[in-house]
Amino acid sequence: MKQYEVYRHIRRRALIFGLPVSFFALQMLAVIGSLMAVIFSFNLILLIGAVAANGILYGLLLKLTQQSGLLQMRTVFPNIISNKKITLNEKYDEPS
C-alpha cells in the first residue's frame, strides 16, 4: 500500500519545477514568446537559440532562487527600534 507524507511545511513558499510562482510565470512567458517566434518564422537556428535561451533563463532563475540574498537590496526591518527623540543637535539631548 502506498503511503503519503503529511505536508507539514505550510509556511514554505510554493514551488513549481523548483521555482517560486513569480519566477515560474516569467519562465512560462519566455517559453510562450519563443514558441510564437518559432511558429511564425520557422528557422532551425531560431529553434536552437530559443531552446538555449530558455534553458539559460531556467538555470539563472534556479540560481537566483537558491541564493535569495542576491535579490535582497536592503533589510526590511531596522536593526534597532527606539523611541528616542531625533534632533539635529545631538549634544543637547538628555540621556535616557
Side-chain angles (χ1 to χ4, degrees):
M1 183 174 181
K2 194 170 188 179
Q3 291 183 341
Y4 295 99
E5 181 181 337
V6 176
Y7 185 71
R8 297 183 189 273
H9 304 290
I10 196 71
R11 293 178 190 246
R12 272 193 192 167
R13 294 189 297 181
L15 297 177
I16 304 171
F17 293 119
L19 297 173
V21 176
S22 59
F23 282 173
F24 180 75
L26 179 66
Q27 179 69 39
M28 287 301 106
L29 285 174
V31 167
I32 291 169
S34 63
L35 281 174
M36 289 178 63
V38 167
I39 288 171
F40 288 119
S41 62
F42 187 74
N43 189 354
L44 185 61
I45 295 172
L46 182 67
L47 179 66
I48 294 170
V51 169
N54 286 322
I56 290 170
L57 178 65
Y58 181 67
L60 179 70
L61 292 176
L62 275 178
K63 190 72 145 179
L64 286 174
T65 301
Q66 292 170 355
Q67 298 177 353
S68 62
L70 294 175
L71 293 178
Q72 188 173 3
M73 299 297 178
R74 60 185 168 93
T75 58
V76 177
F77 296 107
N79 291 336
I80 189 168
I81 297 174
S82 174
N83 288 334
K84 181 181 175 186
K85 183 178 178 182
I86 299 173
T87 62
L88 296 175
N89 197 354
E90 290 292 326
K91 65 182 178 180
Y92 293 116
D93 285 344
E94 296 177 16
S96 50

